[in-house]
Every structure is written in C-alpha cells, then in structure tokens.
Amino acid sequence: MVHDPATLAALLSGAGFIAAEEETAELLKCAAGDAQVLDSLIARRLTGEPLAWITGRISFGDLEIRVDPGVYVPRWHSEALARRAVERLPRNGIAVDLCTGSGAIARTLMSKRPAARVVASDIEPRAVACARSNGVEAYLGDLFSQFRARSRARRPRSSASCRTCRHPTCRSCRRDTFAFESPLAYDGGHDGTAILRRVLADAPAIPSAGGAILLELGGGQDRALRADLARLGYSDVSVLHDEEGDVRGIEATLAYSATTDS
Ligand SMILES: C[S@@+](CC[C@H](N)C(=O)[O-])C[C@H]1O[C@@H](n2cnc3c(N)ncnc32)[C@H](O)[C@@H]1O
C-alpha cells in the first residue's frame, strides 16, 4: 500500500482524519518498519477503528495508557476532571473511580497521589482487564456494588474519598464512536443522567465523611441533577467548565451517612 510518510498522511487526510500527520507518525512507529504490518494498520484505520485500539495506547495527561480493542478510549477533555480529582484527594485518602474504562483517571490519581488507595470498577470485563493491565486495582461490577461488599468486611480507614464517573450524553458522540465503542459507555438513560443519579444516591452508603464526588457530564445534566444533589444533602456543589465555557462536570462534598457508617 502506502509506505512513505507524506503519501500516508495525504491518504489519511483525504479520508477525513484531521490529525493525519500525527496519526501517520503513530502508525509508522507502531509498524516498526514492517510493511505488511503497516498495511494492516492502515486498513484498520481506514475503517474508522479508533487509533488507540490499533496502536494499543494513548496519552492521557503526562501518562501513557494502554487501551485494548473494545475499551472506551480516554478523551483529553477528561484530563481536567482527573486533575481536579487529584486536588480533592488527600495524600493518604481513598478514591473510587467508577466506570473506569481503561483506568486512565484512576492511573492519574495513583501517579499524583502514590500514598493514596485507588480502586476502580467497570461493568465491562474487557475494561476491567485493561485497567488492571494499566496497574489499576479494578473490579468487575455495577458501580459501587463491589465496594459495598468489601467495605462491610473491612472499612477503609481514611474518611476521605474521591469518586469519578463519566457518562456523557449520546448527542455529543461522533459516528465512529457509535460504530466501534460499546453502547455501555454512552447509555445514560433518556437524558443521560440515569447512572449519575444512581451514583449520587449510592455514594453516601460508602463510608467517607467529608469526601468529594466528581461526576463527568455535559449539556444540561448539571441542572437536571440539582434536585438530587439538594435532596441527598450534598454541599459545596460547583459546576466544572472547560476553557470554552462548556459544562464538563460537577463536584460536591458528600453528606455523612450515619445510617450506614455505624
Ligand atoms: C464513557 S466510558 C468512561 C471511561 C473512563 N472513565 C474514561 O474517561 O476514560 C464509561 C464506562 O462506564 C462503564 N459502565 C457503564 N455502565 C456501568 C455500570 N453500571 N457500572 C460500572 N461501569 C459501567 C462502561 O463499560 C465504560 O467503560
């Protein structure tokens, strides 16, 4: 097929890939001089398969994260939430990264807070395996289900925790996203908040007086969750925006749950 960088970049650009030159460099690096391998990588990319599945990795902040085929590809716009989660996580605190995918956010917390305990969960076996391969203590299961069972047996000593969950609305997704990535990564109910509401309702049952919760969301989801946050007793609620002013998440302090922390 095409093996010189300029022709490959032109091919990718003509096929609609915006970062054609960067992608060319990635594909050439991944093929490591093997023309047959390069052909197969190019053919896969031309189908629209995510580049990270083809190369097996992606940069997230200053980290390199392994991404296996079938696992949600971490997006750069989640990096700000990960950085904010680091700021909210005490040095020896405990963090639970729900819906962890490849474990990119958990890995960020681990690398910036090495003395903290970071655990993660995902409902997708491939995601859990991938997060584990990135060094994350990841469990297979629905949201907090694994941690509820574990915390009954042995309560975390730290009272501080930080949680993250990403669940964007489907409206903001591109065509390739639907063609390749699992619907589980996007299906948040009719207004995208079903999972977020469950996280807000269940979080106080995990012992964590004074802990923080961070939810990645977008559109009008912050407004849709306001009543839940108030009813469940969350305080210090703030909306996180990106540099273009778009809503990217919310952050709040958890209510102390006396009924579950006896
Ligand atoms: C949009 S991806 C986000 C992954 C990761 N947080 C990131 O930003 O790279 C959402 C992830 O949530 C997982 N998921 C969906 N429903 C879940 C549930 N009920 N419990 C745990 N994980 C779930 C999906 O398998 C998917 O890996």
Short mmCIF file of all heavy atoms in Angstrom, two decimals, residues 72-75 78 97-105 121-124 127 141-143 165-168 182 184-186 195 198 216, ligand 1:
data_model
loop_
_atom_site.label_atom_id
_atom_site.label_comp_id
_atom_site.label_asym_id
_atom_site.label_seq_id
_atom_site.Cartn_x
_atom_site.Cartn_y
_atom_site.Cartn_z
N TYR A 72 -13.32 1.76 26.01
CA TYR A 72 -13.50 3.20 25.74
C TYR A 72 -12.15 3.91 25.69
O TYR A 72 -11.31 3.73 26.58
CB TYR A 72 -14.38 3.80 26.85
CG TYR A 72 -14.59 5.29 26.73
CD1 TYR A 72 -15.59 5.80 25.91
CD2 TYR A 72 -13.79 6.18 27.44
CE1 TYR A 72 -15.78 7.17 25.79
CE2 TYR A 72 -13.98 7.55 27.34
CZ TYR A 72 -14.97 8.04 26.51
OH TYR A 72 -15.16 9.39 26.42
N VAL A 73 -11.98 4.72 24.65
CA VAL A 73 -10.71 5.46 24.50
C VAL A 73 -10.79 6.75 25.34
O VAL A 73 -11.66 7.59 25.10
CB VAL A 73 -10.48 5.83 23.02
CG1 VAL A 73 -9.18 6.62 22.86
CG2 VAL A 73 -10.46 4.57 22.15
N PRO A 74 -9.90 6.91 26.33
CA PRO A 74 -9.95 8.12 27.17
C PRO A 74 -9.81 9.37 26.31
O PRO A 74 -9.00 9.39 25.36
CB PRO A 74 -8.76 7.98 28.10
CG PRO A 74 -8.27 6.61 27.95
CD PRO A 74 -8.80 6.03 26.68
N ARG A 75 -10.58 10.41 26.63
CA ARG A 75 -10.57 11.65 25.86
C ARG A 75 -9.80 12.73 26.62
O ARG A 75 -9.84 12.79 27.86
CB ARG A 75 -11.98 12.16 25.61
CG ARG A 75 -12.95 11.12 25.03
CD ARG A 75 -12.53 10.65 23.65
NE ARG A 75 -13.65 10.18 22.86
CZ ARG A 75 -14.02 8.91 22.70
NH1 ARG A 75 -13.36 7.94 23.31
NH2 ARG A 75 -15.05 8.61 21.93
N SER A 78 -11.29 14.76 29.50
CA SER A 78 -11.47 14.22 30.86
C SER A 78 -10.26 14.54 31.75
O SER A 78 -10.28 14.29 32.96
CB SER A 78 -11.64 12.70 30.81
OG SER A 78 -12.71 12.36 29.97
N ASP A 97 -12.85 5.09 41.51
CA ASP A 97 -13.08 5.56 40.15
C ASP A 97 -14.12 4.65 39.50
O ASP A 97 -13.78 3.54 39.06
CB ASP A 97 -11.76 5.55 39.36
CG ASP A 97 -11.95 6.03 37.93
OD1 ASP A 97 -12.89 6.80 37.68
OD2 ASP A 97 -11.14 5.64 37.06
N LEU A 98 -15.36 5.12 39.45
CA LEU A 98 -16.44 4.32 38.86
C LEU A 98 -16.40 4.46 37.34
O LEU A 98 -16.01 5.50 36.83
CB LEU A 98 -17.79 4.79 39.37
CG LEU A 98 -17.99 4.75 40.88
CD1 LEU A 98 -19.32 5.39 41.24
CD2 LEU A 98 -17.95 3.32 41.38
N CYS A 99 -16.87 3.42 36.65
CA CYS A 99 -16.92 3.46 35.18
C CYS A 99 -15.52 3.76 34.65
O CYS A 99 -15.33 4.65 33.82
CB CYS A 99 -17.90 4.50 34.69
SG CYS A 99 -19.56 4.30 35.36
N THR A 100 -14.55 3.01 35.11
CA THR A 100 -13.14 3.38 34.91
C THR A 100 -12.64 3.19 33.48
O THR A 100 -11.66 3.81 33.08
CB THR A 100 -12.25 2.60 35.90
OG1 THR A 100 -10.95 3.18 35.95
CG2 THR A 100 -12.12 1.12 35.53
N GLY A 101 -13.27 2.32 32.69
CA GLY A 101 -12.79 2.08 31.32
C GLY A 101 -11.37 1.54 31.37
O GLY A 101 -11.08 0.55 32.05
N SER A 102 -10.47 2.21 30.67
CA SER A 102 -9.06 1.77 30.64
C SER A 102 -8.35 2.06 31.96
O SER A 102 -7.21 1.63 32.15
CB SER A 102 -8.32 2.51 29.53
OG SER A 102 -8.28 3.90 29.85
N GLY A 103 -9.00 2.82 32.84
CA GLY A 103 -8.38 3.17 34.13
C GLY A 103 -7.56 4.45 34.06
O GLY A 103 -6.77 4.73 34.97
N ALA A 104 -7.78 5.27 33.03
CA ALA A 104 -6.94 6.46 32.84
C ALA A 104 -7.04 7.43 34.02
O ALA A 104 -6.02 7.98 34.46
CB ALA A 104 -7.34 7.18 31.55
N ILE A 105 -8.26 7.63 34.53
CA ILE A 105 -8.42 8.58 35.64
C ILE A 105 -7.84 7.98 36.93
O ILE A 105 -7.13 8.66 37.68
CB ILE A 105 -9.90 8.99 35.78
CG1 ILE A 105 -10.31 9.81 34.55
CG2 ILE A 105 -10.13 9.79 37.07
CD1 ILE A 105 -11.78 10.16 34.45
N SER A 121 -14.00 0.47 39.30
CA SER A 121 -14.91 -0.58 38.84
C SER A 121 -15.42 -0.27 37.45
O SER A 121 -15.43 0.89 37.02
CB SER A 121 -16.12 -0.73 39.79
OG SER A 121 -17.01 0.34 39.61
N ASP A 122 -15.79 -1.33 36.77
CA ASP A 122 -16.44 -1.20 35.47
C ASP A 122 -17.29 -2.45 35.26
O ASP A 122 -16.98 -3.52 35.79
CB ASP A 122 -15.41 -1.06 34.34
CG ASP A 122 -16.02 -0.42 33.10
OD1 ASP A 122 -16.80 -1.11 32.40
OD2 ASP A 122 -15.73 0.76 32.84
N ILE A 123 -18.34 -2.29 34.49
CA ILE A 123 -19.26 -3.41 34.27
C ILE A 123 -18.83 -4.27 33.09
O ILE A 123 -19.39 -5.33 32.84
CB ILE A 123 -20.69 -2.83 34.06
CG1 ILE A 123 -21.74 -3.83 34.48
CG2 ILE A 123 -20.90 -2.30 32.66
CD1 ILE A 123 -23.09 -3.21 34.75
N GLU A 124 -17.81 -3.83 32.37
CA GLU A 124 -17.34 -4.49 31.15
C GLU A 124 -16.07 -5.28 31.45
O GLU A 124 -15.06 -4.68 31.83
CB GLU A 124 -17.00 -3.41 30.12
CG GLU A 124 -17.84 -3.41 28.88
CD GLU A 124 -17.38 -4.48 27.91
OE1 GLU A 124 -16.17 -4.72 27.82
OE2 GLU A 124 -18.27 -5.08 27.28
N ALA A 127 -12.89 -3.89 29.93
CA ALA A 127 -12.41 -2.65 30.56
C ALA A 127 -11.65 -2.98 31.84
O ALA A 127 -10.57 -2.44 32.10
CB ALA A 127 -13.59 -1.72 30.85
N GLY A 141 -18.02 -5.07 38.06
CA GLY A 141 -19.32 -4.97 38.72
C GLY A 141 -19.98 -3.63 38.46
O GLY A 141 -19.36 -2.70 37.94
N ASP A 142 -21.23 -3.57 38.87
CA ASP A 142 -22.03 -2.38 38.69
C ASP A 142 -21.65 -1.30 39.72
O ASP A 142 -21.69 -1.56 40.93
CB ASP A 142 -23.50 -2.77 38.85
CG ASP A 142 -24.43 -1.59 38.75
OD1 ASP A 142 -24.43 -0.93 37.70
OD2 ASP A 142 -25.14 -1.31 39.73
N LEU A 143 -21.24 -0.17 39.27
CA LEU A 143 -20.94 0.99 40.12
C LEU A 143 -20.25 0.61 41.42
O LEU A 143 -19.17 0.05 41.41
CB LEU A 143 -22.22 1.79 40.35
CG LEU A 143 -22.90 2.32 39.07
CD1 LEU A 143 -24.14 3.12 39.40
CD2 LEU A 143 -21.96 3.13 38.21
N CYS A 165 -16.99 9.54 37.81
CA CYS A 165 -17.81 8.72 36.94
C CYS A 165 -18.09 9.50 35.68
O CYS A 165 -18.44 10.66 35.75
CB CYS A 165 -19.13 8.40 37.62
SG CYS A 165 -20.27 7.53 36.55
N ARG A 166 -17.90 8.88 34.58
CA ARG A 166 -18.12 9.59 33.33
C ARG A 166 -19.31 8.97 32.63
O ARG A 166 -19.40 7.77 32.48
CB ARG A 166 -16.87 9.43 32.46
CG ARG A 166 -17.05 10.03 31.12
CD ARG A 166 -15.87 9.68 30.25
NE ARG A 166 -16.25 9.96 28.88
CZ ARG A 166 -16.32 11.16 28.38
NH1 ARG A 166 -16.02 12.18 29.11
NH2 ARG A 166 -16.70 11.35 27.15
N HIS A 167 -20.20 9.76 32.18
CA HIS A 167 -21.30 9.23 31.40
C HIS A 167 -21.93 10.29 30.53
O HIS A 167 -22.92 10.91 30.86
CB HIS A 167 -22.36 8.60 32.31
CG HIS A 167 -22.67 7.22 31.86
ND1 HIS A 167 -23.74 6.94 31.05
CD2 HIS A 167 -22.01 6.07 32.05
CE1 HIS A 167 -23.74 5.65 30.80
NE2 HIS A 167 -22.70 5.10 31.38
N PRO A 168 -21.31 10.56 29.38
CA PRO A 168 -21.80 11.65 28.55
C PRO A 168 -23.11 11.29 27.84
O PRO A 168 -23.45 10.13 27.72
CB PRO A 168 -20.68 11.84 27.53
CG PRO A 168 -20.01 10.53 27.44
CD PRO A 168 -20.20 9.84 28.76
N SER A 182 -18.48 0.60 22.72
CA SER A 182 -19.64 -0.07 23.29
C SER A 182 -20.73 0.92 23.69
O SER A 182 -20.44 1.95 24.30
CB SER A 182 -19.20 -0.85 24.53
OG SER A 182 -20.30 -1.16 25.32
N LEU A 184 -22.53 0.67 26.08
CA LEU A 184 -22.47 0.77 27.55
C LEU A 184 -21.73 2.02 28.00
O LEU A 184 -21.96 2.54 29.08
CB LEU A 184 -21.72 -0.43 28.11
CG LEU A 184 -22.52 -1.64 28.58
CD1 LEU A 184 -21.56 -2.69 29.10
CD2 LEU A 184 -23.54 -1.24 29.63
N ALA A 185 -20.80 2.48 27.15
CA ALA A 185 -20.00 3.65 27.52
C ALA A 185 -20.82 4.93 27.43
O ALA A 185 -20.42 5.96 27.95
CB ALA A 185 -18.77 3.76 26.62
N TYR A 186 -21.97 4.86 26.76
CA TYR A 186 -22.70 6.10 26.50
C TYR A 186 -24.13 6.10 26.99
O TYR A 186 -24.73 7.16 27.11
CB TYR A 186 -22.73 6.36 24.98
CG TYR A 186 -21.35 6.53 24.46
CD1 TYR A 186 -20.70 5.50 23.80
CD2 TYR A 186 -20.66 7.71 24.71
CE1 TYR A 186 -19.41 5.64 23.38
CE2 TYR A 186 -19.37 7.86 24.29
CZ TYR A 186 -18.74 6.83 23.62
OH TYR A 186 -17.46 6.98 23.21
N ILE A 195 -27.45 6.91 35.26
CA ILE A 195 -26.33 6.35 36.02
C ILE A 195 -25.83 7.37 37.04
O ILE A 195 -25.51 7.05 38.18
CB ILE A 195 -25.19 5.93 35.07
CG1 ILE A 195 -25.66 4.70 34.28
CG2 ILE A 195 -23.89 5.68 35.81
CD1 ILE A 195 -24.75 3.53 34.27
N ARG A 198 -27.92 7.36 40.06
CA ARG A 198 -27.65 6.19 40.90
C ARG A 198 -26.36 6.40 41.69
O ARG A 198 -26.27 6.01 42.86
CB ARG A 198 -27.55 4.93 40.04
CG ARG A 198 -28.93 4.46 39.53
CD ARG A 198 -28.79 3.23 38.65
NE ARG A 198 -28.01 2.21 39.30
CZ ARG A 198 -27.18 1.37 38.67
NH1 ARG A 198 -27.02 1.44 37.37
NH2 ARG A 198 -26.52 0.47 39.33
N GLU A 216 -18.35 13.38 35.72
CA GLU A 216 -18.15 13.98 34.41
C GLU A 216 -19.48 13.96 33.67
O GLU A 216 -20.14 12.92 33.61
CB GLU A 216 -17.08 13.22 33.63
CG GLU A 216 -16.74 13.95 32.35
CD GLU A 216 -15.49 13.44 31.67
OE1 GLU A 216 -15.01 12.35 32.05
OE2 GLU A 216 -15.00 14.11 30.77
C1 LIG B 1 -17.56 6.78 28.77
S1 LIG B 1 -16.67 5.42 29.46
C2 LIG B 1 -15.57 6.28 30.55
C3 LIG B 1 -14.30 5.53 30.92
C4 LIG B 1 -13.30 6.33 31.74
N1 LIG B 1 -13.88 6.92 32.92
C5 LIG B 1 -12.63 7.39 30.88
O1 LIG B 1 -12.98 8.57 30.98
O2 LIG B 1 -11.75 7.02 30.11
C6 LIG B 1 -17.89 4.72 30.55
C7 LIG B 1 -17.51 3.39 31.15
O3 LIG B 1 -18.55 3.05 32.08
C8 LIG B 1 -18.75 1.66 32.07
N2 LIG B 1 -20.09 1.42 32.65
C9 LIG B 1 -21.30 1.61 32.09
N3 LIG B 1 -22.28 1.30 32.95
C10 LIG B 1 -21.67 0.92 34.11
C11 LIG B 1 -22.14 0.49 35.39
N4 LIG B 1 -23.45 0.39 35.65
N5 LIG B 1 -21.23 0.19 36.36
C12 LIG B 1 -19.89 0.27 36.11
N6 LIG B 1 -19.39 0.66 34.91
C13 LIG B 1 -20.26 1.00 33.92
C14 LIG B 1 -18.59 1.29 30.60
O4 LIG B 1 -18.28 -0.09 30.46
C15 LIG B 1 -17.42 2.22 30.19
O5 LIG B 1 -16.17 1.58 30.34
#
